[in-house]
């Protein structure tokens, strides 16, 4: 039983570099989400996808992009990393396309440090 | 200002003791409230989900209560165990059609022997 996997587990990145965080789920959930978690703050939604082929912007989308080519994968790309993007990133999935109505299952997270 | 406020920020309790965590929210309209447990270095895991019509819900030694009138929720941990050491996050879903989730910053609980 895998659920949701994320890669890499952690990464140190030079500012200005491009980086893609990977997320894969095997639960056949339609909806997937990317959050960032910073000390003292609640998780904040970056981007979401209600179903394969569609994506939407969350609360803090600037500097990030996503794609959803199929049901299982939802990669998050930082086109040109900046130090303020240092954070822990969580991918989540849900069996409901309505964020507030389905249970969300979270991956183990990726700890990203941008220097 | 965060629409979901949790208190205390952190607490230390002795193994076997009980504790109660608080969550106040201003999200309106509101559809449901969730409590998650997040172990260090892991993703959050759902403990309970309550709709506005539910007053209490239990999951083993975890009992959540909800007062939708005062917009308050609590999570009670009974007979704490070392494995209860974690961050506990309160999450409120807005009552719109999509149900945007608002996350609290969490309460860090440390259970000591």
């Amino acid at each position: 039983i895998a659920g949701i996997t994320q890669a890499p587990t952690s990464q140190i990145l030079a500012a200005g570099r491009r980086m893609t965080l990977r997320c894969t789920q095997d639960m056949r959930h339609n909806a997937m989400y990317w959050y960032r978690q910073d000390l003292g703050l609640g998780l904040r939604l970056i981007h979401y996808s209600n179903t394969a082929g569609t994506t939407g912007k969350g609360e803090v989308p600037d500097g990030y992009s996503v794609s959803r080519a199929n049901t299982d994968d939802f990669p998050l790309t930082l086109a040109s990393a900046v130090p303020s993007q240092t954070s822990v990133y969580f991918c989540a999935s849900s069996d409901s396309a309505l964020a507030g109505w389905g249970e969300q299952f979270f991956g183990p997270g990726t700890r990203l440090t941008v220097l | 200002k965060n629409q979901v406020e949790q208190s205390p920020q952190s607490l230390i309790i002795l193994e076997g003791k009980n504790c109660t965590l608080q969550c106040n929210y201003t999200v309106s309209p509101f559809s449901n409230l969730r409590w998650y447990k997040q172990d260090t270095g892991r993703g959050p895991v759902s403990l309970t989900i309550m709709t506005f019509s539910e007053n209490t819900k239990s999951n083993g030694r975890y009992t959540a209560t909800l007062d939708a009138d005062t917009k308050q929720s609590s999570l009670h941990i009974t007979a704490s165990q070392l494995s209860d050491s974690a961050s506990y996050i309160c999450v409120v879903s807005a009552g719109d059609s999509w149900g945007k989730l608002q996350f609290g910053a969490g309460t860090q609980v440390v259970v000591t022997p």
Side-chain angles (χ1 to χ4, degrees):
Chain A
I1 300 175
I4 297 181
T5 59
Q6 293 184 235
T9 302
S10 65
Q11 182 75 43
I12 298 175
L13 190 67
R17 297 296 295 269
R18 180 184 179 89
M19 175 74 190
T20 295
L21 309 184
R22 300 185 297 278
C23 174
T24 300
Q25 54 107 354
D26 63 1
M27 296 176 283
R28 307 303 295 171
H29 285 168
N30 282 319
M32 297 187 75
Y33 308 86
W34 273 106
Y35 295 91
R36 61 178 289 173
Q37 186 175 40
D38 301 294
L39 196 63
L41 299 177
L43 274 81
R44 293 180 292 170
L45 182 65
I46 305 171
H47 284 287
Y48 65 93
S49 169
N50 288 335
T51 188
T54 70
T55 62
K57 293 182 179 181
E59 184 182 355
V60 288
D62 294 343
Y64 307 95
S65 64
V66 293
S67 61
R68 186 87 184 278
N70 56 62
T71 297
D72 299 343
D73 301 300
F74 191 42
L76 176 74
T77 297
L78 289 67
S80 179
V82 294
S84 62
Q85 293 178 310
T86 293
S87 186
V88 181
Y89 291 86
F90 289 99
C91 179
S93 73
S94 173
D95 57 359
S96 171
L98 301 177
W101 299 100
E103 182 172 353
Q104 292 197 10
F105 298 86
F106 288 82
T110 293
R111 181 174 295 277
L112 181 66
T113 302
V114 182
L115 302 176
Chain B
K1 187 179 187 299
N2 197 346
Q3 297 185 61
V4 180
E5 298 286 347
Q6 293 188 240
S7 62
Q9 279 189 317
S10 63
L11 69 106
I12 301 173
I13 59 173
L14 289 174
E15 186 179 12
K17 298 296 186 182
N18 304 335
C19 70
T20 300
L21 316 180
Q22 300 292 340
C23 174
N24 296 336
Y25 63 92
T26 59
V27 177
S28 182
F30 146 84
S31 67
N32 62 67
L33 185 145
R34 309 144 185 243
W35 283 95
Y36 282 85
K37 178 187 180 188
Q38 184 176 20
D39 292 318
T40 300
R42 308 291 294 273
V45 175
S46 179
L47 291 175
T48 64
I49 300 177
M50 291 184 291
T51 65
F52 60 87
S53 62
E54 296 177 289
N55 299 121
T56 185
K57 182 165 280 191
S58 292
N59 179 354
R61 294 179 296 99
Y62 300 102
T63 299
T65 64
L66 173 64
D67 186 334
D69 291 330
T70 62
K71 294 184 169 56
Q72 296 179 325
S73 175
S74 65
L75 181 69
H76 186 77
I77 304 175
T78 303
S80 61
Q81 299 177 358
L82 298 179
S83 60
D84 293 329
S85 295
S87 178
Y88 292 85
I89 302 171
C90 176
V91 186
V92 179
S93 172
D96 58 22
S97 59
W98 192 59
K100 177 183 176 182
L101 298 184
Q102 294 280 2
F103 290 78
T107 292
Q108 185 68 43
V109 174
V110 175
V111 181
T112 63

